Amino acid sequence: MKRIGFLLALMAFTVVSTILWEVIGNTPVPVLHVSPVRRVNETSPAENATEEVMASTTERIPDRTSGCQPIGNIVFLKTHKTGSTTMRSVLNRYGIDNNLSFLHHKSKPGGHLVSDLDKLPLSAFLPPLGVRKGDLKHYKGYNISNTHVRLSVSKFEELMSPNPTYITILRHPVEQWLSAFQYFHVYRSFRKYNSSEKDRVKVFLSDPRKFAGKSVYSWNNQFHDLGVSRSHFRDWGYLDKRIKYFSKLFRLVLITEYFDESLILLKDLLCWSFDDILYVKMRAQPKPLEVNAETRSRIWKWNRADAMLYTYFNDTLWRSIQDYGPNFQRDLDHFRVLLDQKYEECIGESEVVKVAGNHKNVIYGVKNRSKFCEALVSRGLVGEIHNRQYNQLIPLSTEDSATSSSQTTNKTKRMPSETSFKKSKVAFIPSVTPKHVVIPSPDMATPTNKTGNGTSSTESNAPVAPKVKIKGRCNTSQGNVVFVKTHKTGSTTLTAILNRYGMSRNLSFIHMADAGAGHFNYHNPSLSRRKEFLPPIGVPKGNFKKYVGYNISAVHIIYSRGLMETLMGESVTYYITIIREPVSQFVSAFQYFDVAKNVLHEKADNLSLEESVNKVLSQSQTVFDKRPYTWNNQLLDLGMKKSHMRDESAVKSHIVTLLRELDLVLITEYFDESLILLKKLLCWEFEDILYIKMRMQPSNGGKLSAPTLDRIRTHNSADGIVYDFFNKTLWRKIKDYGPSFDDDLRTFRDLLNKTVDSCVGDTVVQTLNRGQKNVGYLAAEDAPLMCEDIVDTGRVVREIRRRQGG
């Protein structure tokens, strides 16, 4: 009730202040001195109420607004001394995590563009990711602008990816002016006029028009950053029109004094998670200037244009909070609890340091050297952005120590929409690793170039596996494919694509002879037991020496490169796999294979999903080593022994091996995007990659709490490292694909929708041999002939096995 009363009072005050503007324009708007950002060791309402908030939250607070898609094409108009560097660090962290390109200057400190954007040549910018330095015609399609540069919408529209979301931040004009006056040493421009007066603010205000021309930071700084020239600072009609224009341009104007509240609105606007908006205060001044009420009134009057701007958008902020609905306070409290937890986990001692320009800032040390804490506390991550884009060095290493058990958010993977932001992936963060697992750069392992005749060459004597296929333009589709089929990752859908392609071209598949679908699962076949395989097409049963020269492997079989190379023969073969966000993959496998029943036996009876998961996770390591689907399922499918998953050197070595040996790692959460890359890799047609989803599980209504989801994440930490790593490589490949990727993806999805409409009829729930249930489809009435192979995937498998004597 107090909160509601406060909101009503503030709204009433805003209306009154607007009406009386011309009458009392020289009187500052009173400001609640709420800290714009959390300070270390500061007692906050959230700290005092942490236990109450956590105890009263009986259902998990959604990490994102339901049904939205994350946005990553952003123009943040960075204003001076408004907390904008803190906001910039939030954007830097998000952009790096999601492999986005920043509009930064290639040589200016901090990457700031500083001057008017229209005056800068293209050569002044860092190239986008995937674009060579100097290839100026491709200096476009940037995702994030978050440096100091005056507003120029036409130039942003030219340089950024289509339809960027514009945001900015404003601060109370008195506080902003005092901060800029101190930080940028404005007094130096006029100290010769009254060198004996110690009150430098008083000297300036004695004749502000005389001194204003000496420094750009001395008069209506925020309107200046928004592109308005000084000649208009007293043109009230013009300023009113600009404010109305900004209200349409900017999707959100954050307010420094209500930074946390603004971030909740930002999270909702961009469809981000709570983790994405966590922050540490940047560029704080050790001892802010303090002035009396009379001086504050004079500063407010002098910066009247900024006062108009601030008053308007402070009002819009609170209207947006009201429109957010009754869940706003709940989300704000939840965010502040997370923020306090992360401060406790990550923030070390503070110190005052001098930075360029003889400025003084308060900075913080890192208490916990986890990847997340390092990124949270790092001063801007600007150096990493520069290396990624200027030197095209995208870090392919992951280092993370165990995260705090208090973290209760779970980043849900979302399929990107067909908007301009095609890079709206969410990496698996945080991924909890045993000890400190550092994955080396691929530069540490030189790939071998494998040509069409099977020969290889390398400039290094280091033992490496054949990896890179040298091809020119697509002339012939490729049909020799080893698909390392992982469990509960959407892999059956991809197998159906490969089966349909191979059957239509009379290709030979690696199948187990006495398994209905050909799967080996964890049977571990070997060359010494070739009778376990179906023969290739045209080879009589029992002529084991000729059980080679297969074209496609797309069944469950633990990855063994040597076995596959022998079975596939001398032809150039493409190795691919698919992985899924580890928490969702574990839960899917847990339910599908009834892990609770297999591990707990009769003790699993009548347990909820929550209870059964926690009881299984409480078992000994011996149980996890012996039972399938209980621990890092995907790494096991990818050929790593469970006994090695606790060894950090073994984990990093295996990931580097996969990087060398696999031509493409598809990501379940970005299945369509992955298929476009597969189509290009294999020189296939759009029709070849059409699909309907296979082996979907019907919902059982079970939900898991945030602590349990975090426990699953920690339990499957090695899978988390693999997912995070190859999720990033996927988006590098998309960037390398070139500007036609978006068009190809759109074309494919249009064709896919038409195919589904033509082919798919009723939905049915199927019960398999071992009691698992899947959602399947029947062919639509009067469906075209091509639909039979797309919908009836079982018939395709039976035909493959019939041709090979199964």
Side-chain angles (χ1 to χ4, degrees), residues 89-326:
S89 70
V90 171
L91 293 167
N92 283 348
R93 193 174 73 246
Y94 184 88
I96 288 173
D97 284 346
N98 292 281
N99 206 31
L100 306 180
S101 295
F102 290 80
L103 183 64
H104 279 197
H105 199 287
K106 68 179 183 182
S107 58
K108 294 285 186 182
H112 291 299
L113 304 175
V114 182
S115 63
D116 291 343
L117 196 57
D118 296 312
K119 298 179 180 178
L120 289 173
L122 289 174
S123 58
F125 305 125
L126 289 176
L129 289 171
V131 176
R132 291 189 178 92
K133 286 180 285 187
D135 187 8
L136 300 183
K137 66 180 180 179
H138 291 122
Y139 276 30
K140 55 187 177 181
Y142 294 91
N143 303 110
I144 294 177
S145 173
N146 63 346
T147 69
H148 282 304
V149 61
R150 296 185 72 202
L151 180 63
S152 175
V153 175
S154 60
K155 195 66 175 180
F156 278 128
E157 297 295 326
E158 176 185 328
L159 294 169
M160 302 296 292
S161 291
N163 303 315
T165 297
Y166 287 82
I167 62 174
T168 191
I169 185 170
L170 299 175
R171 185 180 182 183
H172 188 287
V174 176
E175 308 301 336
Q176 189 278 336
W177 188 89
L178 286 170
S179 181
F181 187 91
Q182 179 183 28
Y183 188 81
F184 296 111
H185 310 298
V186 173
Y187 65 88
R188 291 179 178 176
S189 62
F190 61 84
R191 59 185 171 185
K192 65 180 181 179
Y193 293 97
N194 196 339
S195 58
S196 62
E197 176 59 59
K198 294 183 179 180
D199 188 343
R200 293 156 178 167
V201 173
K202 180 180 179 181
V203 173
F204 180 89
L205 292 176
S206 66
D207 196 351
R209 294 190 184 186
K210 176 180 179 180
F211 300 132
K214 307 295 182 181
S215 172
V216 71
Y217 305 107
S218 62
W219 190 28
N220 293 311
N221 305 162
Q222 297 172 91
F223 243 130
H224 180 267
D225 286 335
L226 294 181
V228 175
S229 66
R230 288 189 165 201
S231 61
H232 293 298
F233 282 176
R234 294 182 181 278
D235 187 342
W236 313 121
Y238 177 84
L239 294 178
D240 184 62
K241 290 179 181 178
R242 295 308 293 173
I243 289 173
K244 291 178 180 178
Y245 169 73
F246 295 147
S247 70
K248 296 178 181 179
L249 175 68
F250 292 108
R251 297 288 305 280
L252 176 65
V253 176
L254 296 86
I255 298 296
T256 309
E257 286 71 27
Y258 305 101
F259 195 69
D260 290 357
E261 290 87 345
S262 298
L263 287 178
I264 296 299
L265 296 178
L266 181 74
K267 170 187 172 296
D268 184 63
L269 172 66
L270 301 181
C271 191
W272 284 9
S273 71
F274 284 106
D275 274 4
D276 294 330
I277 60 171
L278 291 171
Y279 66 89
V280 172
K281 187 175 183 178
M282 300 285 177
R283 292 281 175 92
Q285 295 181 56
K287 188 178 181 181
L289 282 176
E290 295 182 0
V291 296
N292 59 33
E294 180 185 355
T295 302
R296 292 178 62 85
S297 179
R298 295 176 68 186
I299 295 171
W300 174 272
K301 185 176 181 179
W302 169 243
N303 293 281
R304 183 177 172 184
D306 273 3
M308 291 175 62
L309 189 68
Y310 177 84
T311 300
Y312 181 89
F313 284 107
N314 185 42
D315 182 36
T316 63
L317 177 86
W318 290 99
R319 287 204 304 268
S320 297
I321 289 172
Q322 188 179 33
D323 292 341
Y324 190 105

Side-chain angles (χ1 to χ4, degrees), residues 667-702:
I667 300 294
T668 307
E669 287 73 25
Y670 307 98
F671 194 69
D672 290 357
E673 289 86 347
S674 298
L675 288 180
I676 296 298
L677 296 179
L678 181 68
K679 170 185 173 293
K680 182 177 181 180
L681 176 70
L682 302 180
C683 296
W684 285 8
E685 302 296 332
F686 285 116
E687 289 76 9
D688 296 327
I689 59 173
L690 292 171
Y691 69 91
I692 60 172
K693 292 181 180 180
M694 307 296 297
R695 289 285 173 92
M696 293 189 301
Q697 294 170 237
S699 174
N700 67 356

